[in-house]
Amino acid sequence: MKLGIDGWRLVGRRAGVGRYLANVVSELTPELTHGFERVSVYTPKPVDRVADQMPDHIRNVVLSPEMRMLLWSNVRLGPLTTDDVLFCPSYTRPLVTRARTVVATHDMVYRVRPDLFPRSARFYNRIYEWSDRHATLIVTDSEAVKDEIVHYCRVPASKVRVTYLAPPPMFVPLPASDPKLGDIRRRYVGGAVPYFLFVGKITGRRSLPLLLDAFARMKQRTGLDHRLLLAGAGTDSPELVAASRAFGVEQDVVHAGFVPDELLNAVYNAATALVTGAVYETNSLPVMEAQAAGLPVVCLRNPGMIEITDGAAAMYDRADADAMCEAMMRVAEDEGHRQDLSARGLVSAARFSWARCARETIAVLGEAATL
């Protein structure tokens, strides 16, 4: 049997799905993939095998030219590959393929919160749901998402498998005396100043204006000298800079944009807490990474966040600025609370590993080959 993997998300700067796929592929040892005589990762241009820690037995097959993901998947990947099983890690499968397909669906936000998307997004929604209904099997990141897939896509629960994501091994606690922490504070917030941290790609569900509003209220109510560091693609956009100005916190918000992986562990360790203003989040790599680094997490209480944090987070019960502000204030002012969240977060993060995720994913792919 031959296994193919859609590697489009490995090209260029990587957000959530790209990082997910890179971590899974790096764990696909010969022993793990022995049920497949050949494993191929298909990309529109070559990837850096060394940087990605791609095992030697996995082929990187280039199907040029570069195109938008859906177009490339349907005019290059689907028609040109002859594998028995095709793993599609980003919500969609080709409309036409010879292979049995396993689709990774990471959330159902477009159905749970359609108000966060323009009407034009309905085209993609239909493709996502078609892909889930026509996939041989589906993998997802939490039981909370599995329930939503079954409900909205009208597929049997027996078709959906949960394979939990994980923080990479690079995310670990650093001692407070580590000079890297001082370097990070000088680089991003101008010196020995405490800061709250947001990490992630900017999308409507992550509600950065809500976070800015909550941060502004915290500053007004407490007078604390904390700053807010926004890290991730798009966090340096003119719109977010204007929003921080509108909330009166322009001088205290740092719009860092993309932060390279080699700095992220120190960025987590130097912060007071990770704060996510997401109004819908059933899983979050930054939340897992923060807990693995010993950083407290502030997030909205919902089934997905309870599941992946094991409840070891400062959760607020409603998606409004006052509730988030109160949670941030307690974390900032109560050292004992921070230490408790840090300790329990480390225990939560230890439940997950990319080796486990890869092992469970390969098991699903092998199962698909027999159906």
Side-chain angles (χ1 to χ4, degrees):
M1 291 188 298
K2 301 179 181 65
L3 170 63
I5 300 173
D6 179 348
W8 190 93
R9 291 281 190 178
L10 296 177
V11 174
R13 284 184 172 178
R14 295 173 192 164
V17 175
R19 294 171 73 185
Y20 156 71
L21 179 58
N23 281 295
V24 169
V25 169
S26 72
E27 296 288 347
L28 296 182
T29 63
E31 295 76 20
L32 201 61
T33 58
H34 71 274
F36 293 97
E37 64 189 76
R38 189 181 75 192
V39 182
S40 305
V41 174
Y42 300 100
T43 55
K45 67 178 185 181
V47 297
D48 187 335
R49 298 184 64 97
V50 175
D52 288 336
Q53 298 181 309
M54 186 180 292
D56 291 340
H57 73 289
I58 295 177
R59 306 188 314 157
N60 178 206
V61 180
V62 177
L63 302 177
S64 57
E66 290 188 69
M67 305 175 186
R68 294 177 68 89
M69 185 177 72
L70 282 179
L71 183 60
W72 180 82
S73 173
N74 283 286
V75 304
R76 305 297 292 165
L77 181 68
L80 296 180
T81 56
T82 59
D83 303 283
D84 299 287
V85 179
L86 181 63
F87 179 42
C88 305
S90 187
Y91 299 90
T92 66
R93 51 151 284 179
L95 295 175
V96 177
T97 176
R98 302 173 178 85
R100 299 172 182 86
T101 54
V102 174
V103 172
T105 296
H106 304 281
D107 60 63
M108 294 293 293
V109 61
Y110 58 89
R111 289 298 302 268
V112 178
R113 291 296 305 268
D115 55 299
L116 299 176
F117 296 87
R119 291 177 63 87
S120 59
R122 293 179 182 177
F123 166 74
Y124 296 98
N125 300 348
R126 287 194 290 269
I127 294 176
Y128 296 162
E129 292 182 21
W130 180 92
S131 293
D132 279 345
R133 287 195 292 270
H134 288 81
T136 308
L137 293 171
I138 303 163
V139 294
T140 194
D141 309 337
S142 68
E143 294 289 343
V145 187
K146 176 178 177 177
D147 291 344
E148 292 173 357
I149 293 170
V150 171
H151 174 71
Y152 287 108
C153 295
R154 303 182 303 280
V155 299
S158 60
K159 184 176 175 175
V160 188
R161 308 286 185 273
V162 175
T163 58
Y164 288 103
L165 310 187
M170 64 179 280
F171 294 104
V172 295
L174 299 176
S177 59
D178 193 310
K180 289 194 287 290
L181 305 188
D183 293 342
I184 286 293
R185 293 188 183 104
R186 284 189 293 272
R187 175 171 181 164
Y188 285 109
V189 296
V193 181
Y195 64 88
F196 284 98
L197 174 66
F198 168 88
V199 175
K201 181 181 177 182
I202 302 309
T203 60
R205 71 175 178 185
R206 296 196 170 111
S207 195
L208 266 294
L210 177 67
L211 173 55
L212 291 170
D213 189 359
F215 177 69
R217 294 180 191 217
M218 189 206 74
K219 296 286 288 185
Q220 292 163 4
R221 294 176 189 178
T222 66
L224 291 170
D225 58 356
H226 284 65
R227 293 182 180 165
L228 174 62
L229 174 61
L230 306 178
T235 54
D236 54 354
S237 69
E239 293 79 12
L240 281 180
V241 173
S244 64
R245 185 180 308 119
F247 284 113
V249 289
E250 182 180 11
Q251 299 304 313
D252 292 308
V253 177
V254 179
H255 302 265
F258 179 79
V259 174
D261 282 353
E262 59 266 24
L263 297 180
L264 264 180
N265 186 54
V267 168
Y268 282 125
N269 273 270
T272 297
L274 178 81
V275 185
T276 170
V279 296
Y280 169 96
E281 197 82 277
T282 47
N283 204 346
S284 169
L285 280 175
V287 165
M288 288 182 153
E289 293 165 356
Q291 287 198 313
L295 181 64
V297 171
V298 179
C299 63
L300 180 66
R301 186 186 307 278
N302 62 50
M305 286 295 97
I306 293 171
E307 185 177 346
I308 70 161
T309 67
D310 202 25
M315 295 187 178
Y316 50 95
D317 293 320
R318 60 189 189 279
D320 68 43
D322 271 331
M324 190 190 304
C325 171
E326 291 292 332
M328 293 172 70
M329 285 169 54
R330 185 181 175 199
V331 170
E333 295 177 327
D334 187 338
E335 182 178 356
H337 184 45
R338 290 198 305 275
Q339 291 177 348
D340 176 65
L341 291 174
S342 174
R344 291 194 294 126
L346 286 168
V347 174
S348 173
R351 296 177 297 155
F352 308 111
S353 73
W354 284 112
R356 169 187 168 181
C357 183
R359 183 174 64 251
E360 293 174 349
T361 301
I362 278 291
V364 177
L365 295 167
E367 182 184 358
T370 68
L371 296 178

